[in-house]
Amino acid sequence: MSESYALPTEPEDVVASLIERFNSGKVSAMLALYEPEAVFVVKDGRTVTGHAEIAAQLEPDLKYGLPLEAKARHVFVAGDTALLVLDWSIDGTGPDGEHVRLEGSASDVVRRGADGFWRYVIDNNLGTAVRQPA
């Protein structure tokens, strides 16, 4: 039986879709939220592009098997583009028995596609956090 996750039809719905898809633990569910040439900002400030590279960045956090909590602080919309500012956290005991606490304030750009669904164009999950050089 395959699971189906709705794609957001409003920019305000992106966060709920993100939570649902992340908490499924499936990278394939997450990738449907990204445009094919989306940019993902990694912890050191470098960017990766495309589903294969984004999947490689998402998999370590998904492997913890811990729920994502997230709440939109701001949603700014200009036509078919929106800026989402959201606070997020992943907290609990990982599969190795160690405590895991990840958190941040994201600054993300999403765009409405020709199909009417909103997807990530830029995923900057640490927002304005200072990055260390690579």
Side-chain angles (χ1 to χ4, degrees), residues 3 85 97:
E3 294 185 46
V85 178

Side-chain angles (χ1 to χ4, degrees), residues 122-134:
I122 301 171
D123 184 347
N124 184 6
N125 66 7
L126 293 178
T128 60
V130 175
R131 296 338 203 281
Q132 298 300 315

Side-chain angles (χ1 to χ4, degrees), residues 23 36 46 55-57 64-65 85 94 97 104 107 110 114-115 118-119:
N23 291 345
R46 291 176 301 115
Q57 297 300 316
Y64 288 121
V85 178
S107 178
V110 296
D115 59 5
W118 291 81
R119 292 180 180 86

